[in-house]
Amino acid sequence: MPTRRTDADFTALIGTTATTTHTVRPADAASNWANELDVLATPVLLWLGETTAMKVIESDLPEGTMSLGLSHDAAHLAPTPVGETVTLTATLTAVDGTRLTFDVEGRDSRAVILRGRHGRALVDRQRFTAKLTDRTAG
C-alpha cells in the first residue's frame, strides 16, 4: 500500500497513469439518455474517464482532502456497442496549485473512442461538506 502524501504538491506525480476496464452494460447505453441507440452513452464514457483520473491520485491524497471534477474537454470519437469492453487511461499532465489536469483516452477493441482532457481540484473535505450543508439547508 503506497504511503499517503502529507502535502498537496502533486507535481512529482506528473506522468503517472491509471487504467480502468469496463464492459458496457445495458444500463450504460445511450438509450437511457434520450437516444435510441444501444451504444455507450457519452455521459457514461466521460464518467469513466473522470473516475480513472481519480484513480491516478487516490492513494496520494492527504488526509481530509478530496478531489472534485472541474471540467471536461473531450471528444467521443466512435460508438461502442453494449457488451463490448472499453479501456480508459488517464495521465496526470499538469499541476497548478490545487488544480490538476489529466489527459484521458478511451479505446474499445476497434478504435480510440475518447480523447480529451479532464480537470480536477483538490479541496478540504470538511470545508466542502460544510458549504454543501449550507446550500441544502432550508
Side-chain angles (χ1 to χ4, degrees):
M1 178 97 170
T3 303
R4 293 179 82 75
R5 296 178 69 81
T6 57
D7 62 11
D9 180 10
F10 283 74
T11 305
L13 297 176
I14 291 175
T16 304
T17 65
T19 302
T20 299
T21 301
H22 178 81
T23 300
V24 180
R25 304 163 301 186
D28 302 326
S31 56
N32 297 308
W33 293 82
N35 188 316
E36 62 196 46
L37 300 175
D38 286 329
V39 297
L40 179 59
T42 301
V44 176
L45 183 57
L46 292 173
W47 170 76
L48 289 167
E50 184 165 339
T51 59
T52 305
M54 292 167 65
K55 286 171 60 174
V56 172
I57 60 168
E58 68 187 355
S59 64
D60 292 285
L61 288 172
E63 194 67 38
T65 301
M66 62 189 282
S67 72
L68 301 175
L70 290 176
S71 63
H72 287 281
D73 182 10
H76 189 166
L77 302 169
T80 302
V82 169
E84 177 84 41
T85 298
V86 296
T87 301
L88 285 288
T89 303
T91 304
L92 180 61
T93 57
V95 176
D96 183 8
T98 59
R99 293 179 183 246
L100 310 176
T101 302
F102 300 84
D103 282 349
V104 181
E105 183 176 274
R107 296 177 170 273
D108 63 18
S109 65
R110 294 177 190 89
V112 172
I113 61 166
L114 174 76
R115 189 169 284 135
R117 289 227 158 107
H118 172 58
R120 300 195 68 72
L122 301 172
V123 299
D124 179 274
R125 180 182 298 274
Q126 188 173 11
R127 275 189 268 163
F128 181 80
T129 55
K131 285 181 184 177
L132 179 60
T133 299
D134 289 345
R135 289 182 58 93
T136 58

